[in-house]
Amino acid sequence: MKKFVPARPEHKPPLIPMPHNRSIQEGCRTPSSDYYDQIQPSSYSQTKDDRSTFSIGPSRRGTEGFVQQTLTPHSVRNTSLDSTGNSFRRASTLEGDQATANIYKQSSLKERSRLVQRQNAIRELIDTEVSFVRDMNVIEEIYKGTAEACPKLDSKTIKLIFRNTDEIIEFHTSFLAELKEAVSAVYCPKSRRPPLIRESRKDSTMSESMMVQSGISSLAKEVAVEPDDAKDRQASIGPTFAKNIERMRAVHETFLRTSDPASKWLIQIQGDDAVQVWLSECNEAAKDFTAAWNLDSLLIKPMQRITKYPNLIIQLLQYTPEDHPDREALMFARSALENAILDINKTKKNFELVGQIVGRKRKGLDVRAGFARAFGKRVDKLQVLTVRIQEDPEYKALQEKFGDDYLRLQAMLRNVEFYTRQVSEYVHQFLQLLSAMNLMMRLQPSPYPEIESKWARFYISINVENVALDQHLAQVRKHVIEPFALVIRCYDRPSLAMKKRAKRRVDYERVEQLKKAGKKVDKQLGEVAEQYEALNEMLKKELPKLPVYTEKIGNICLGNLVCIQLKWFSTWKEKVKVVLEDAHVPELAEVLVSFQRKFRDMEEQVRGTGILNPSLKLRTP
């Protein structure tokens, strides 16, 4: 049977499916159609399951068969799928890189925003500090500097109203300089803010556009520091606060503890016409330098400033990362400032309470009933208190120091008073001696007229009892005795406070025992215990200052006494120059040597006088 051989097809084979990736298209190009024309089918067979299979015979060239096997439709389909998968993987990689870039960009923007916010917080700290220092200088220069011109304001009133504004200015000026140095890597202000123009000021010639341009130009003068994490980590605000916190607390505590009496007194004196004129003139002069309207709003600035520091530090901490070198110091500064504010409030409260206790005057009560009630109450308390609470060792040491200083002041005052009495007595006796010598020389002239003449002139010139002695004693009394007396008088109120404390000691011990026993404390008894604690804290805080001031004033007074004595001695030397007729006045050592040398000759002459030496008289039988 003759085999059937199919004829060669006339049409060209279909094109190979093209992949989407261009690189794969270039690697799998469609071969030329002449290649298929040269291939002859070798056989044709019919399978049992009616599926036809074409077997392509070997090609004329070995390489053509390899190419034919490689470029079968199945292999091309697989190649297309693999290429598509690679393209998907590359697209996924590109999308991942883009997402990573977006995340990095977002983190960079977030970090930049944090640095900008932190820089703004630092800017607010510095700018508000500059504004505060300027306001305090307005108080010192405009209000306090012109207060003496007001006839109704004496030195005591000025001291009560303005208190220690000079110390606050001195501290905050140096503190501002340290803050600027600490943040110089982040913020460098180079210009002051433009003068403040109030809306209510009708005579202003500056338009709104000029004000805006002035503000823009002043901001342009500031050094714009690009946000940089490395520079931001160089800012050290926390250590600056930690270094100055104690001095800050001291100056603000001194100012704020008498704020209520100062405010009440200022309101009271504002009813006077002269004070109103003075305040209006000062307000008019200060309106271009501060946003405050009057003196009251300026005097409240120190309290507002110290209470604002913790908020500014909290704002800084919000934009300070955990690994920032300044974060720990900022947290310590915030805690220290909060404790300082609490201490100032407690000191202010204790100061007012102690003032009420010490300044309280006893009403006219029945003395007998008062003694009976006091002794009866005290006996009951002593019977209940079986175990006494130990005295505060710090207060006990201060109490002993207080007593020693008081006795030392008394001794020094008595010594100076004794000196004045001794000088007066010496001058009086010396002038009596000169008067007796002058009278004797007049009654019986001696063979030494030159010496008698010198003694007479010396008596006339040395008569200092009426003028020089009175001036000398007046200076000693003014510059030595009166200051010592004032210092001793300053010990009266602390001594009274110590007595008040000792009086409330038993009540305090009673309250402590009731608290330990878990019993309820009576309201009146609790108030007495609170007064005792206020007195104890105030005395422990104020008593250490008293010896320091006492020592300073004592040294000044003793120095004044030495200067007054030198002047008194120079007065005597000038009197002696008149007699000696020589500009050189011999010192005491020279006077003693000369006296000892001439005394022997005079002593022999005196011994040769019969009236003075009875053994030389001739005996009569």
Side-chain angles (χ1 to χ4, degrees):
M1 184 176 177
K2 189 177 180 179
K3 293 182 179 180
F4 175 76
V5 178
R8 187 173 61 179
E10 298 293 337
H11 60 81
K12 295 181 180 181
L15 298 176
I16 299 175
M18 299 298 176
H20 298 285
N21 197 323
R22 180 174 177 82
S23 62
I24 299 178
Q25 289 179 2
E26 294 176 355
C28 302
R29 294 178 181 176
T30 305
S32 176
S33 60
D34 295 338
Y35 173 77
Y36 291 97
D37 295 339
Q38 298 175 1
I39 299 177
Q40 298 291 335
S42 58
S43 62
Y44 173 81
S45 61
Q46 185 74 23
T47 60
K48 295 181 179 180
D49 53 357
D50 295 332
R51 287 183 297 182
S52 300
T53 303
F54 292 91
S55 62
I56 301 176
S59 61
R60 296 177 183 178
R61 291 178 296 182
T63 57
E64 292 179 357
F66 175 76
V67 174
Q68 178 66 23
Q69 293 177 3
T70 305
L71 297 178
T72 58
H74 179 71
S75 64
V76 171
R77 190 179 299 112
N78 293 337
T79 303
S80 176
L81 292 174
D82 294 340
S83 302
T84 305
N86 291 333
S87 65
F88 287 156
R89 284 193 295 271
R90 291 189 178 184
S92 300
T93 304
L94 292 175
E95 291 177 358
D97 294 341
Q98 185 67 26
T100 304
N102 292 334
I103 294 173
Y104 178 76
K105 185 177 181 180
Q106 291 177 1
S107 63
S108 299
L109 292 175
K110 186 176 180 181
E111 179 67 14
R112 179 181 176 83
S113 175
R114 182 192 68 79
L115 292 174
V116 171
Q117 293 293 338
R118 178 174 164 82
Q119 186 175 358
N120 291 337
I122 294 174
R123 182 193 300 268
E124 182 181 1
L125 173 63
I126 300 299
D127 291 349
T128 53
E129 188 71 19
V130 171
S131 177
F132 173 72
V133 173
R134 184 176 62 250
D135 291 341
M136 297 307 297
N137 277 285
V138 168
I139 296 176
E140 185 72 14
E141 300 296 335
I142 296 179
Y143 288 92
K144 187 178 180 180
T146 60
E148 295 180 354
C150 183
K152 297 297 181 180
L153 298 179
D154 54 0
S155 59
K156 186 177 180 180
T157 304
I158 295 173
K159 180 64 177 178
L160 175 63
I161 294 175
F162 296 100
R163 289 153 281 177
N164 62 330
T165 53
D166 53 344
E167 296 180 359
I168 293 179
I169 292 173
E170 180 183 359
F171 166 74
H172 280 277
T173 301
S174 62
F175 181 61
L176 176 60
E178 293 182 13
L179 281 179
K180 288 182 178 180
E181 181 67 23
V183 302
S184 59
V186 180
Y187 178 56
C188 299
K190 293 296 183 182
S191 63
R192 295 180 60 185
R193 58 181 293 181
L196 296 174
I197 306 297
R198 298 184 186 274
E199 296 179 357
S200 60
R201 188 176 181 182
K202 298 181 180 180
D203 58 345
S204 176
T205 58
M206 180 178 290
S207 62
E208 184 177 357
S209 61
M210 293 175 63
M211 292 172 61
V212 173
Q213 292 178 2
S214 176
I216 294 174
S217 62
S218 64
L219 291 176
K221 292 180 181 179
E222 296 179 356
V223 176
V225 180
E226 185 69 19
D228 186 6
D229 185 66
K231 292 182 179 180
D232 181 74
R233 291 178 179 273
Q234 296 177 7
S236 58
I237 301 175
T240 305
F241 272 96
K243 176 183 176 182
N244 296 276
I245 187 66
E246 289 299 327
R247 189 180 173 198
M248 180 190 299
R249 183 193 61 79
V251 296
H252 281 269
E253 180 181 299
T254 304
F255 183 86
L256 294 175
R257 69 181 181 182
T258 57
S259 58
D260 291 344
S263 300
K264 293 178 181 178
W265 187 252
L266 182 60
I267 294 173
Q268 183 178 353
I269 64 175
Q270 285 180 359
D272 188 82
D273 295 336
V275 176
Q276 289 182 357
V277 172
W278 168 68
L279 287 176
S280 62
E281 293 293 334
C282 292
N283 293 336
E284 185 67 22
K287 64 170 56 177
D288 291 336
F289 302 98
T290 179
W293 291 99
N294 50 25
L295 181 58
D296 294 333
S297 57
L298 283 171
L299 290 175
I300 204 174
K301 293 288 184 179
M303 185 270 292
Q304 294 175 344
R305 187 58 186 168
I306 194 171
T307 54
K308 190 175 182 179
Y309 282 132
N311 297 331
L312 293 173
I313 293 179
I314 290 173
Q315 186 178 357
L316 271 174
L317 287 172
Q318 291 178 356
Y319 306 106
T320 304
E322 295 291 339
D323 59 343
H324 198 284
D326 197 29
R327 182 175 180 83
E328 184 176 355
L330 283 174
M331 295 179 66
F332 173 78
R334 183 192 66 178
S335 177
L337 282 169
E338 291 174 352
N339 293 333
I341 293 172
L342 293 177
D343 291 341
I344 291 174
N345 290 334
K346 185 177 180 181
T347 301
K348 184 175 181 296
K349 180 181 177 181
N350 292 339
F351 185 82
E352 295 174 355
L353 186 58
V354 170
Q356 295 175 2
I357 296 171
V358 177
R360 183 184 303 166
K361 294 183 179 180
R362 186 178 181 87
K363 298 180 180 180
L365 301 175
D366 187 6
V367 179
R368 183 180 302 176
F371 274 112
R373 184 168 56 252
F375 280 109
K377 187 177 181 181
R378 183 59 54 89
V379 169
D380 294 339
K381 292 177 182 178
L382 291 177
Q383 290 177 355
V384 175
L385 296 176
T386 57
V387 180
R388 302 294 299 272
I389 300 177
Q390 186 179 3
E391 183 62 86
D392 189 351
E394 182 180 358
Y395 171 78
K396 190 174 181 180
L398 292 173
Q399 185 182 17
E400 294 177 357
K401 177 69 174 175
F402 177 85
D404 295 341
D405 292 340
Y406 185 76
L407 292 177
R408 190 177 295 109
L409 279 173
Q410 293 283 351
M412 293 176 66
L413 180 61
R414 298 296 178 266
N415 290 336
V416 176
E417 291 177 347
F418 175 73
Y419 165 77
T420 57
R421 293 193 300 269
Q422 192 177 18
V423 168
S424 300
E425 184 178 357
Y426 169 77
V427 171
H428 180 69
Q429 292 180 357
F430 185 73
L431 291 178
Q432 282 185 343
L433 175 62
L434 292 180
S435 177
M437 291 176 61
N438 190 25
L439 181 60
M440 183 177 178
M441 287 184 294
R442 287 182 180 181
L443 294 176
Q444 186 178 0
S446 67
Y448 305 99
E450 296 180 357
I451 298 178
E452 290 181 357
S453 175
K454 289 182 179 181
W455 279 108
R457 284 182 295 168
F458 181 69
Y459 173 71
I460 296 173
S461 64
I462 207 65
N463 192 7
V464 295
E465 188 173 10
N466 296 329
V467 181
L469 179 62
D470 293 341
Q471 293 179 356
H472 176 68
L473 296 178
Q475 290 180 355
V476 172
R477 190 174 296 106
K478 179 179 179 181
H479 297 287
V480 182
I481 296 178
E482 291 181 359
F484 271 126
L486 289 176
V487 174
I488 293 175
R489 202 175 303 159
C490 292
Y491 278 68
D492 293 341
R493 291 182 67 85
S495 178
L496 180 59
M498 294 168 70
K499 292 179 181 178
K500 298 283 187 180
R501 177 189 179 277
K503 183 179 179 181
R504 289 162 174 78
R505 173 69 183 178
V506 179
D507 297 323
Y508 171 75
E509 293 180 359
R510 175 64 177 168
V511 170
E512 291 297 322
Q513 286 192 354
L514 291 176
K515 288 181 179 179
K516 290 181 180 179
K519 297 181 180 180
K520 184 178 179 181
V521 179
D522 183 58
K523 181 179 179 181
Q524 185 176 2
L525 194 62
E527 291 178 355
V528 175
E530 184 179 358
Q531 293 176 2
Y532 172 84
E533 292 177 352
L535 288 167
N536 187 60
E537 292 296 329
M538 184 58 62
L539 287 171
K540 287 167 59 176
K541 184 172 292 186
E542 296 296 330
L543 284 180
K545 301 177 183 179
L546 194 57
V548 178
Y549 297 147
T550 301
E551 183 179 359
K552 290 182 179 179
I553 296 176
N555 292 331
I556 293 173
C557 293
L558 293 179
N560 292 338
L561 180 61
V562 172
C563 293
I564 293 171
Q565 287 177 331
L566 289 175
K567 187 177 180 181
W568 174 248
F569 183 70
S570 64
T571 302
W572 282 84
K573 291 176 68 175
E574 292 296 329
K575 300 296 183 180
V576 173
K577 286 182 181 180
V578 178
V579 180
L580 296 179
E581 299 178 355
D582 189 2
H584 174 69
V585 177
E587 298 295 334
L588 182 60
E590 298 177 2
V591 173
L592 291 176
V593 171
S594 177
F595 177 80
Q596 293 293 340
R597 184 176 62 250
K598 297 180 180 180
F599 178 73
R600 297 186 183 91
D601 299 336
M602 299 303 300
E603 186 179 15
E604 292 179 358
Q605 294 181 10
V606 170
R607 287 180 179 179
T609 306
I611 192 173
L612 298 177
N613 192 358
S615 61
L616 298 178
K617 290 183 179 181
L618 296 176
R619 295 182 179 181
T620 58

